[in-house]
Amino acid sequence: MFEENAVCKMLQIKYPIFQGGMAWLGTAELAAAVSNAGGLGIIGAGHMPPDVLRAEIQKLKAATKKPFGVNIMLMSPFVKEVMQVVVDERVPVVTTGAGNPGEYIPALKEIGCKVIPVVASVALAKRLVRTGVDAVIAEGMESGGHIGEITTMALVPQIVDAVDVPVIAAGGIADARGVAAAFALGAEAVQMGTRFVVSQECIAHENYKNLVLKARDRSTVITGRTTGHPARVLQNRLTRHYLERESQGAPADELEKLGLGTLRLAAREGDVDNGSVMIGQISGMMEQVKPVAEIIQEIVRGIAPVIEAIQQDCR
Ligand code: TUI
C-alpha cells in the first residue's frame, strides 16, 4: 500500500496523511501519535518561544523513531529563532504557514530538511517551487484558523497543474471520501487538522472538543477579513462582538487586540465563549473523539472501497 506514493517515498512515511501543525494543539504528544500510526505528526510552533519549541521537539524525538515535522507560523515574533532551532535539531520536515518562507529555505535545505510550505494561491506555489521547496500543501478556505480565499476543490487542481512537485491537499478533508476526492484532484497526500483536534491524544480542552462535536455545517465564521488576517473559527460570543465591530468599521489594531491570546484561552483554558475556537468547516461531520491510530486506520481502510464504488458507477 502506498509503496509508489511520491510523498510516502520522499518522507519515508507509511501513509500519505499529515496532521496539520496547529498552534496550541499540535503538541509532541499528538505528533508522536500520528507519526507512530504511520502518518506525519507535526508540532505546531505557533507563537512558541525557541526554548519551548526545542523542548517539544526533544519530547517528540523521545516518543517516536518515525519521521515528523514542525510547522512554523511565519507571523510569529520568534520566526528567526525558531528556524534556528529546527536547523539545530535537524528536524526532518518543516511546513510553514501564514506567509512566504522564501528567505529561510536555503538554510533548511542545507541540513537536508524537506521544506513544504502551505500555500493558498497558484502564484505563491509557483514562486516557492522555483526556490526549491520539496512539495506544497494546497490549503483551501474550508480549513480552520488563518485561511486564504479559494476552496480546496478549486485550489488543488490548479496548483497540481502549475507545479512539478507533489501537492498535499488540505481543507475540508476528514475521512476516506475526502482523501479519495483529494487524490482525484491530483493531490498525492492530505493534511487534516479538524479530524485530529477531536482525537484522544489532542490536548484541546474538553469544552473545545465538545463544541467541535456539536458543530454543524454552518457553525464557523470568518473573522478578520478587514485586517488582512482572515481566520475561520466557530461562532461564539467573541466572534459576534468581533464581527459587529468589524462591520462598524473598527480599525485593524482594535480588532487585532480583540483576538490576542484568544486561541490559548479556548484551546487550553476551555473558555469557549471568549476564546477563539479555530476549526474547519468539516467540524460539522465530527461525531466522536477517537484515538489517533483508529482515525488513521479507518481512513486508510476506507479509501479503496470509495474508489471501487466510483469505478462501478462509471462503468
Ligand atoms: O497558518 C495557517 N493557519 C493558521 S496559523 C494560526 S496562528 C494564529 N493565531 C492567532 C491568530 C492568527 C493566526 C492559525 N491558523 N494555515 C496555513 C496558511 N497559510 N493558510 C493560508 C496561508 C497563507 C496565506 C497567504 C500562506 C501564504 C500567504 O501569502 C503570503 C505571501 O507573502 O504571499
Side-chain angles (χ1 to χ4, degrees):
M1 213 177 188
F2 301 114
E3 266 108 39
E4 298 304 316
N5 180 281
V7 175
C8 290
K9 278 208 261 192
M10 183 198 313
L11 304 181
Q12 303 282 298
I13 55 179
K14 194 165 174 198
Y15 304 129
I17 297 176
F18 290 19
Q19 163 237 319
M22 305 166 286
W24 295 108
L25 298 177
T27 61
E29 188 186 358
L30 179 60
V34 173
S35 286
N36 285 332
L40 187 75
I42 298 180
I43 292 173
H47 289 88
M48 270 182 202
D51 54 330
V52 175
L53 177 61
R54 193 184 301 275
E56 206 63 21
I57 292 169
Q58 288 170 357
K59 195 167 155 192
L60 176 53
K61 283 177 177 168
T64 188
K65 292 288 157 267
K66 302 270 173 68
F68 65 90
V70 171
N71 173 264
I72 298 188
M73 211 279 285
L74 294 161
M75 292 193 298
S76 164
F78 303 111
V79 59
K80 282 208 159 58
E81 294 97 318
V82 298
M83 282 289 181
Q84 190 56 50
V85 169
V86 304
V87 168
D88 293 346
E89 292 293 327
R90 303 204 155 250
V91 169
V93 183
V94 164
T95 65
T96 64
N100 181 343
E103 63 180 292
Y104 306 105
I105 293 170
L108 294 168
K109 301 288 298 178
E110 181 123 339
I111 59 148
C113 174
K114 301 292 181 200
V115 183
I116 311 183
V118 173
V119 295
S121 70
V122 169
L124 185 61
K126 283 165 83 170
R127 205 178 325 147
L128 291 174
V129 166
R130 282 199 294 271
T131 68
V133 300
D134 297 282
V136 293
I137 301 167
E139 191 191 88
M141 54 87 79
E142 296 93 325
S143 303
H146 182 69
I147 51 171
E149 291 177 355
I150 325 235
T151 60
T152 303
M153 185 75 144
L155 185 66
V156 172
Q158 293 189 70
I159 292 188
V160 165
D161 286 349
V163 302
D164 56 4
V165 297
V167 174
I168 297 105
I173 301 166
D175 68 1
R177 294 171 299 179
V179 177
F183 288 171
L185 297 175
E188 292 184 80
V190 298
Q191 172 165 285
M192 302 189 297
T194 297
R195 177 61 272 194
F196 290 122
V197 168
V198 277
S199 68
Q200 251 165 34
E201 292 88 343
C202 179
I203 196 181
H205 194 283
E206 66 169 318
N207 296 350
Y208 197 105
K209 290 184 183 177
N210 286 336
L211 216 59
V212 173
L213 295 176
K214 275 208 300 209
R216 300 190 196 218
D217 54 347
R218 299 176 67 223
S219 297
T220 67
V221 293
I222 300 174
T223 59
R225 278 196 165 108
T226 63
T227 67
H229 298 135
R232 182 176 301 284
V233 293
L234 275 184
Q235 184 169 44
N236 64 2
R237 185 151 79 204
L238 173 67
T239 65
R240 278 188 282 276
H241 177 60
Y242 188 110
L243 290 173
E244 187 186 6
R245 290 296 298 134
E246 202 169 15
S247 71
Q248 291 165 345
D253 63 334
E254 178 194 322
L255 295 170
E256 296 283 352
K257 245 186 235 149
L258 277 179
L260 266 187
T262 54
L263 180 56
R264 189 192 56 84
L265 188 63
R268 294 294 192 86
E269 290 180 29
D271 184 349
V272 292
D273 296 320
N274 303 301
S276 284
V277 185
M278 290 184 173
I279 206 76
Q281 285 184 316
I282 204 70
S283 53
M285 202 170 77
M286 297 299 98
E287 300 290 345
Q288 228 186 318
V289 172
K290 293 179 184 176
V292 161
E294 204 175 295
I295 291 170
I296 291 182
Q297 277 307 313
E298 207 174 282
I299 291 176
V300 165
R301 292 203 186 105
I303 300 169
V306 170
I307 295 170
E308 279 152 23
I310 297 169
Q311 273 178 330
Q312 283 291 333
D313 228 33
C314 293
R315 262 197 259 277

